[in-house]
Amino acid sequence: GDGVITTDNQARITFLNPSAQELTGWTLERAVGRPFAEVFDIYDSITGKPSDNIVLTVLKTGTKVNLGNRTVLKNFDGTERHISDSAAPIRNALDELIGVVLIFSDVTERYLLQQQLAMSEARSSSAVKIAKLGTWDYDGRTHTVKLSPQYKAICGMDPDFDPEPEFWRKLVIPEDYEKTLESRNQAFRSDSYYSNQFRIYRENDGQLRYVRNYASIERAADGSVLRIN
């Protein structure tokens, strides 16, 4: 499904494959001999400014070039698509630069999904901040833990505190420790989610606090824990 375009060393179109014809809206007969930039009309989706002529860049440098992931291709009929592409020099047997080959693909759906994911994550982050919720993340592959600033504030920790994986054991008061440990271990054995409640003494002022903890468990195919958050 990739589009393929070739040009001569004057940046004039010499070939478009069927996918390139569909994506650009230009037929091979109409495009051959025309300037590359006329057929391949692209711009930056953020700034709205025309993107650099990737073929001219390759002809100037003699090396492969990749376009940024914000590139939009405007079809002959005005349809616009987000694309991913790269261009490389074409050389003859004497190593002379005789043209450029461009390979590109339609990534509109992937781009939109990425934008939706970024917006969703931004909303989730804002919601967590507004609700003053602390978050934590354990990576089972590196055995490291990351704590959000709000989590550290809830526990009275220093903002620069770098936790060990079992840091929580020192926070939970002795009366709640065994129950908290058992609920976690039981979830490790079979579940994908768990919650528990326990009491802690804040590190900076020793005040007693009740904490409700929610965690989801991501597992590998063999059942081992990859991530908890």
Side-chain angles (χ1 to χ4, degrees), residues 72-83:
V72 174
L73 170 67
K74 185 180 294 185
N75 188 287
F76 185 80
D77 64 8
T79 303
E80 297 182 346
R81 296 180 174 91
H82 288 269
I83 61 167

Side-chain angles (χ1 to χ4, degrees), residues 169-178 199-201 208:
R169 293 175 182 265
K170 297 179 181 179
L171 289 175
V172 180
I173 67 172
E175 293 85 350
D176 293 350
Y177 177 78
E178 290 299 332
R199 291 168 292 175
I200 67 170
Y201 288 115
L208 179 67

Side-chain angles (χ1 to χ4, degrees), residues 82-120:
H82 288 269
I83 61 167
S84 173
D85 66 350
S86 62
I90 301 173
R91 299 181 182 276
N92 62 16
L94 300 177
D95 201 34
E96 297 169 333
L97 183 57
I98 61 172
V100 174
V101 58
L102 176 85
I103 300 176
F104 64 104
S105 57
D106 183 354
V107 295
T108 302
E109 184 175 351
R110 184 175 70 191
Y111 179 85
L112 293 177
L113 288 173
Q114 289 173 341
Q115 293 297 99
Q116 291 170 5
L117 178 60
M119 291 176 64
S120 176

